[in-house]
Amino acid sequence: MATVGSTTPIPQHAPSIEYDDGELAALAVTEAGRVARYLRESGLEVEQKTSVSDVVTEADRAAEHSITSLLRRHRAGDGILGEEGSLVEAQNERRWAVDPVDGTYNFVSGSDYWCSAVALSGPDEYLLGAIHRPATGETWVGGSEISARRGATPLRPLAPGDLADGCLATYLHPPFLSEPDLAEPFRRVSQGAATMRMLGSGSLDLAAVAEGKYSVWCQHSCPEWDWLPGKALVESAGGRTSVVEVAGYDWFVAGRPGAVEQAVELLAGG
């Protein structure tokens, strides 16, 4: 194993091993989660990014390095865009979006509701996502050419549903509640659901949506690494996804057929 710094184990894999995209994505997130968990158990220094709840640690960077190193060995021509600054220009039409630790505030606070996630986008609307939750050992993979699964178990296709009968998973930083252009759409969509959950890891929320545990997920202003892994899972489980602009902000919505359209209408003021 190689190391980041002097203590962080980074697994190495021979480039001669052939992985398909789904296998490689699952391997990348599993090992990133292992690296991050190891470092959390060893103690962390936490830095603020944009707010007290938007933080980064050595574990985020080491986990991202684990993913990018693996991808560069096995998909040398693919582009990479990482939350913690990794940027590799593509030599083809494929690009990976990397979220080494999604739910970092949970991660540094001792909660186990965090994950590692990647997505691969390519030509002809090709999309693949993988999400790994180290606390439970669960790994979800799905995409435009792969039916959604948790481990080796296929997910049941999502049945249509009504937002008013289901749970809305979402997130909004408290300071945004003072901005009417964000707070008002948020109020409308949240009041349209039977109940609401705000747990702090969008990719884990979207994996739960793909499994049918929540009806809809929505959040505004999502970067690729927060949106594409879960979008791939939900769509490959038979769900719907949408991006709608409301008052200058993009809202990202995914979930059961029917419930997504209702959420979009509420966000837009219908």
Side-chain angles (χ1 to χ4, degrees):
M1 286 191 177
T3 60
V4 173
S6 59
T7 60
T8 311
I10 302 295
Q12 299 293 303
H13 297 272
S16 58
I17 298 176
E18 294 292 335
Y19 300 105
D20 64 31
D21 287 340
E23 293 169 338
L24 184 61
L27 179 63
V29 293
T30 301
E31 295 192 343
R34 185 180 301 124
V35 168
R37 192 175 191 180
Y38 172 88
L39 278 173
R40 184 169 79 163
E41 292 170 353
S42 303
L44 293 169
E45 291 186 5
V46 181
E47 303 170 25
Q48 284 191 21
K49 294 165 78 174
T50 61
S51 70
V52 68
S53 61
D54 185 14
V55 294
V56 65
T57 71
E58 177 191 0
D60 296 76
R61 300 186 182 104
E64 183 161 303
H65 176 71
S66 170
I67 293 173
T68 57
S69 296
L70 184 67
L71 295 179
R72 295 193 76 174
R73 285 195 299 276
H74 294 278
R75 297 292 188 274
D78 292 359
I80 302 173
L81 175 66
E83 181 180 12
E84 305 310 330
S86 297
L87 181 62
V88 177
E89 294 296 330
Q91 300 172 26
N92 52 40
E93 298 181 69
R94 293 160 43 103
R95 184 167 79 166
W96 297 81
V98 175
D99 196 346
V101 177
D102 180 50
T104 305
Y105 186 82
N106 291 346
F107 178 80
V108 301
S109 301
S111 167
D112 285 329
Y113 199 77
W114 62 274
C115 66
S116 297
V118 299
L120 171 62
S121 55
D124 301 320
E125 299 185 351
Y126 179 80
L127 183 63
L128 170 76
I131 298 167
H132 176 69
R133 185 180 183 185
T136 61
E138 295 170 300
T139 303
W140 296 266
V141 179
S144 53
E145 297 181 4
I146 300 176
S147 296
R149 63 180 187 262
R150 183 185 69 239
T153 304
L155 301 188
R156 294 181 178 179
L158 289 173
D162 290 328
L163 177 61
D165 296 329
C167 181
L168 171 71
T170 184
Y171 187 76
L172 187 71
H173 283 289
F176 287 122
L177 292 171
S178 63
E179 295 189 23
D181 288 342
L182 285 171
E184 183 57 24
F186 182 81
R187 180 192 65 79
R188 290 194 299 263
V189 72
S190 60
Q191 288 185 336
T195 188
M196 183 170 65
R197 299 291 182 269
M198 193 181 297
L199 300 179
S201 172
S203 286
L204 279 183
D205 290 346
L206 283 161
V209 169
E211 290 199 344
K213 295 176 180 177
Y214 305 143
S215 292
V216 170
W217 176 90
C218 76
Q219 188 171 320
H220 74 88
S221 308
C222 294
E224 290 182 32
W225 50 78
D226 280 337
W227 171 238
L228 293 181
K231 169 183 164 70
L233 279 181
V234 172
E235 290 180 346
S236 65
R240 301 286 188 269
T241 66
S242 181
V243 181
V244 57
E245 182 181 347
V246 182
Y249 291 93
D250 286 336
W251 287 85
F252 296 75
V253 189
R256 293 184 181 276
V260 165
E261 289 78 5
Q262 292 162 0
V264 167
E265 184 176 3
L266 287 169
L267 284 167

